[in-house]
C-alpha cells in the first residue's frame, strides 16, 4: 500500500528574474522520517519556484500517480500481519485501506427521464422520482446478483450504501493490481477512478464514516498535512463536531451473503471492523 506515514507542507521563497519575491508551497512525503518528508517538500517547492520563475511549464501529475495523502488514524493487524490502515481523507471521513481484502462500490445510476415529457413529469413529481429511484436500485441489485450467478467462484457480502451498493469479498484474498481484479471491477462496472486508484495505490478502499455534508457538517477548515500550526490547532474542533454528528448515521446496510466465506484471519478481521465502524445493523439513516 502506498500510504506514507510522514507528510510535511513547506513554503519556499525566492526572487524571480525581475527581483520580485515569490513564495510557493508544496507537500512532501516519506516512509522513513518527518525530516525526510520536509526535505522532499522543500525540494518540490523549489522545483515549482524554479520552473515558474524561469518560464517553464510545470509537470502535471494525476491524483492516481501520487501516494495517498491522508493522516493515518489506525493500523490494523490480523495476528502479527499488517492487513489494513485506517486514514482520514481530504474531506474528513475515515477510510479503510486494505492490502488484500477486496471492496467494490457500485453506484446507482442517476434517475433520468426517457424524453421531454417524462423529464418534465419527474421534475414536478416527488412520488414519480422516488418510484423511478426504487426501480434503479432494484435494477442495480439484480445486476450484481446476475454477476454473482455468472461468477460463482467469488464469495462476497452485499451492502446497501446511500448512493449505491458495496461488495466485500469473503472467499479469498486478492491482489489490487492483478488482471483478475481488473476483470472483477470491470464486470461490476465499478467507478473508473476507483479502478485506477486501486491499481496505482495498491490497495482496496472503503469509506467508514459519513461524508460531512450528509450529516450537516461543513468541510474541514484545512487539509492534511496542515500548512501551519494555526491550521493544525483548528482541526480538532472540526473533528470533534464531525465525529459527534457522524454517530447518528450509518454507512452500510447489510443485504445478503453470496457464496461461502473463507476462514482467513485477514478477511474476518476486516469484516468485523468494517461492520462495526459503518454501524451495520443499526436503524440509523444512511449517509
Amino acid at each position: 500500500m502506498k500510504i506514507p506515514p510522514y507528510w510535511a507542507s513547506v513554503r519556499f521563497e525566492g526572487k524571480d528574474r525581475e527581483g520580485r519575491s515569490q513564495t510557493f508551497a508544496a507537500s512532501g512525503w516519506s516512509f522513513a522520517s518527518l525530516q525526510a518528508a520536509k526535505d522532499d517538500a522543500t525540494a518540490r517547492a523549489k522545483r515549482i519556484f524554479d520552473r515558474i520563475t524561469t518560464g517553464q511549464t510545470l509537470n502535471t501529475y494525476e491524483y492516481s500517480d501520487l501516494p495517498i495523502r491522508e493522516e493515518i488514524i489506525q493500523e490494523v493487524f490480523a495476528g502479527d500481519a499488517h492487513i489494513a490502515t485506517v486514514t482520514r481523507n481530504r474531506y474528513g471521513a475515515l477510510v479503510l485501506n486494505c492490502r488484500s481484502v477486496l471492496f467494490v462500490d457500485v453506484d446507482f445510476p442517476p434517475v433520468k427521464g426517457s424524453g421531454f415529457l417524462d423529464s418534465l413529469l419527474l421534475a414536478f413529481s416527488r412520488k414519480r422520482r422516488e418510484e423511478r429511484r426504487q426501480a434503479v436500485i432494484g435494477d442495480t441489485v439484480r445486476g450484481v446478483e446476475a454477476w454473482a450467478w455468472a461468477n460463482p467462484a467469488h464469495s462476497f457480502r452485499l451492502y446497501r450504501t446511500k448512493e449505491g451498493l458495496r461488495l466485500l469479498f469473503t472467499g479469498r484474498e486478492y491482489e489490487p493490481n492483478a488482471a483478475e481484479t481488473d476483470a472483477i471491477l470491470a464486470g461490476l462496472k465499478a467507478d473508473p477512478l476507483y479502478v485506477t486508484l486501486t491499481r496505482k495505490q495498491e490497495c482496496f478502499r472503503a469509506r467508514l464514516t459519513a461524508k460531512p455534508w450528509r450529516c450537516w457538517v461543513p468541510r474541514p477548515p484545512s487539509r492534511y498535512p496542515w500548512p501551519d500550526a494555526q491550521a493544525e490547532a483548528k482541526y480538532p474542533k472540526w473533528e470533534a463536531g464531525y465525529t459527534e454528528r457522524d454517530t447518528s448515521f450509518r454507512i452500510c446496510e447489510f443485504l445478503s451473503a453470496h457464496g461461502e466465506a473463507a476462514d482467513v484471519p485477514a478477511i474476518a478481521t476486516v469484516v468485523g471492523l468494517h461492520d462495526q465502524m459503518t454501524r451495520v445493523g443499526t436503524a440509523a439513516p444512511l449517509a
Side-chain angles (χ1 to χ4, degrees), residues 189-207:
K189 299 179 182 178
D191 176 63
L193 178 59
Y194 178 77
V195 175
T196 301
L197 294 177
T198 296
R199 186 184 308 113
K200 294 290 186 180
Q201 298 174 341
E202 300 175 4
C203 68
F204 304 109
R205 286 166 62 85
R207 181 170 55 86

Side-chain angles (χ1 to χ4, degrees), residues 160-178:
R160 161 79 189 274
T161 63
K162 182 173 178 60
E163 297 296 340
L165 302 175
R166 173 173 293 175
L167 291 78
L168 195 176
F169 283 71
T170 57
R172 58 185 174 84
E173 297 176 272
Y174 294 81
E175 290 291 334
N177 53 6

